[in-house]
Amino acid sequence: MLRAAGVGAGDEVVVPAFGNVEVAEAVTLAGALPVFADIDPVTYCLDPDAVEAAVTSRTAAAVVVHRFGRRADIGRLHTLGQRHGLLVLEQGECDAPYDELAQRRERAAYLDARLKGVRTPDGGTGHTYQQYVVRVPGNGRPDRDAFARALRARGVACRVPVKTPVHRLPEFRRHVSLPVTEAAADETLALPVDAALTKREMHRVVSACNALGGLLQPAF
């Protein structure tokens, strides 16, 4: 899509660093330079204000990635694109079937009401819970990683959604300040919320998390 729009050598494309490296790689393959902007702390998608701050005379486009079942503020981003003459591209996630979506939301509501010691996601309008991502508050140690290991030891399948932001990777290393991205990479943890989970398995997730939550600083 970038090539079809004429984006190439000498152009800059604003992208998120919180997520998969493929977006930055696609910009490079088109011959352009990826420029990393910070994310919104609630949606984990590009923050329109951060995108605008990253715009230069060479900026040709921005690639917006919808994350974890939450959508970016695409209205503001398109308005920004029109104001600066930028192409705004979207990369979405595969939509779950309606029945599965309803079950994911039901399980997310169960976790929202019972989890303690972690910060639950802000559901917001239209959240599809492709991943149920909590924040494990840090207090000077890599608490999230220790928390994840302890959960797995208790039989809970959890995963770190973004292990290393793209701007930290050797091939894309940039000296740029992305404090929200950095914090999200250090604190986020995806808990199971699949439609196939039984009530007993959901109870195990809650019990394991709450048993560990007292080891952490309050989430708020």
Side-chain angles (χ1 to χ4, degrees):
M1 287 189 291
L2 290 168
R3 285 173 171 163
V7 175
D11 291 328
E12 295 177 350
V13 179
V14 181
V15 298
F18 187 73
N20 299 331
V21 70
E22 286 84 357
V23 174
E25 288 176 337
V27 173
T28 300
L29 287 172
L33 176 70
V35 174
F36 300 107
D38 217 343
I39 57 173
D40 180 274
V42 174
T43 66
Y44 301 108
C45 305
L46 277 177
D47 178 357
D49 291 334
V51 173
E52 186 147 36
V55 171
T56 72
S57 60
R58 296 184 296 277
T59 307
V63 179
V64 183
V65 182
H66 303 298
R67 186 69 64 196
F68 306 145
R70 283 294 301 267
R71 291 184 60 79
D73 189 344
I74 201 64
R76 281 188 63 197
L77 288 161
H78 276 302
T79 299
L80 185 158
Q82 292 169 358
R83 185 162 62 247
H84 292 281
L86 308 179
L87 174 69
V88 177
L89 299 177
E90 299 179 56
Q91 184 186 57
E93 299 169 303
C94 296
D95 292 329
Y98 179 79
D99 289 347
E100 181 177 333
L101 173 59
Q103 291 174 324
R104 282 178 177 269
R105 284 177 169 157
E106 179 182 318
R107 284 157 175 74
Y110 179 93
L111 294 176
D112 285 346
R114 292 166 176 81
L115 285 175
K116 303 182 187 305
V118 297
R119 189 179 306 166
T120 57
D122 183 338
T125 302
H127 200 321
T128 61
Y129 295 101
Q130 295 290 339
Q131 296 187 59
Y132 185 89
V133 177
V134 300
R135 301 287 285 260
V136 180
N139 57 8
R141 308 190 311 276
D143 291 327
R144 188 273 315 277
D145 295 340
F147 192 89
R149 287 193 295 270
L151 285 184
R152 294 183 190 115
R154 288 165 168 79
V156 174
C158 59
R159 58 183 293 273
V160 174
V162 177
K163 293 182 179 179
T164 306
V166 181
H167 72 294
R168 287 185 189 169
L169 297 175
E171 62 269 38
F172 290 105
R173 190 172 297 281
R174 301 283 190 278
H175 295 292
V176 58
S177 176
L178 302 175
V180 181
T181 295
E182 297 275 349
D186 289 342
E187 296 178 0
T188 50
L189 186 67
L191 299 178
V193 73
D194 298 339
L197 289 171
T198 65
K199 287 185 177 180
R200 176 173 292 183
E201 289 169 328
M202 294 299 294
H203 178 72
R204 179 191 298 164
V205 173
V206 171
S207 297
C209 286
N210 290 354
L212 296 168
L215 303 176
L216 305 172
Q217 295 289 335
F220 298 98

